[in-house]
Amino acid sequence: MSDSATMGAAEQPPPPEVVSPLARIYGQPLTQLPLDLYIPPDAMAVMLDAFEGPLDLLLYLIRKANVNVLDIPMAPLTAQYLLYVEAMRTHNLELAADYLVMAAMLIEIKSRMLLPRPKIDADDEADDPRAELVRRLIEYEQMKLAGHGLNELPQAERDFEWVEVWVEKTLLRRLPEVSVLDLQNAWRGILRQARLHSHHRVQREELSVREHMTMILRHLRDAGGFVEFVDLFDPQQGAPVLVVHFLALLELAREHLLEMTQVEAFAPIYLRLSDERHESR
């Protein structure tokens, strides 16, 4: 009976081999790719969580294992990394070339950590074989986070569209303002002309500023509302008359009954009736 039991045990088929699924679709494991499914060689990077390089894959494994990047367990990390690289190598050797270089570096670091370390003084610190790898991982993670931050910013033709609007504007020519110095120089020029035509006469003459204001307004209206500064004064009338005439001009400007303009700096000064005064005419 024992012999038949032994034979029965020998005739039992071996247990089926456990095959790890290639992927999961709607929670169901996919152990074999469809026969009519075409996968380009470069699509393996998308199937492996779209890793952008060896450092990206290594950082993913570290964050997935929830370990400190400053204290990396090299043995399990190297084993997991080699599993990914082996899966990638079987599909596309050219795509896995850079990953193989990183795998060699991990194996080297793992081997150096297994070797006995020489005794060192208490003040000296032992060189960690993982220091260079940790530095590269930290720098890569910082650049990756910065890239994600830039990608979150609004981008033209992705988050908004450019809109061109035609705005028709009339180009207004802004004339320079008449400064006090310009007015002073013009007045001095009038006085110099008056001295050339002045005679020594002693007499008393009553001059009215209001009367000269009326004369200036009448002169501007007769000239079409626009006249040059020097044409408003007659040097032959003498300095007293010119002074009163100039005071009347200043009073009209103060009351906004006329305006002083220039085409450009240091150009002749022109007088014109204000817009309200000119329209009321």
Side-chain angles (χ1 to χ4, degrees), residues 50-70:
F51 300 116
E52 299 177 359
L55 286 176
D56 197 20
L57 173 57
L58 196 60
L59 186 63
Y60 165 76
L61 294 176
I62 292 173
R63 296 309 183 196
K64 184 179 179 181
N66 196 20
V67 296
N68 188 2
V69 72
L70 300 178

Side-chain angles (χ1 to χ4, degrees), residues 40-53:
D42 294 339
M44 194 62 192
V46 179
M47 295 178 64
L48 296 177
D49 292 336
F51 300 116
E52 299 177 359

Side-chain angles (χ1 to χ4, degrees), residues 208-227:
S208 172
V209 175
R210 286 293 176 183
E211 182 180 355
H212 282 262
M213 291 171 61
T214 304
M215 294 170 58
I216 293 174
L217 292 176
R218 187 182 301 113
H219 188 178
L220 286 172
R221 283 196 298 268
D222 295 339
F226 193 84
V227 69

Side-chain angles (χ1 to χ4, degrees), residues 14-22 24 29 31:
E17 183 181 357
V18 178
V19 180
S20 58
L22 298 175
R24 289 186 176 271
T31 58

Side-chain angles (χ1 to χ4, degrees), residues 19-37:
V19 180
S20 58
L22 298 175
R24 289 186 176 271
I25 301 178
Y26 298 106
Q28 300 298 325
L30 178 66
T31 58
Q32 184 179 1
L33 294 177
L35 299 179
D36 58 346
L37 176 64

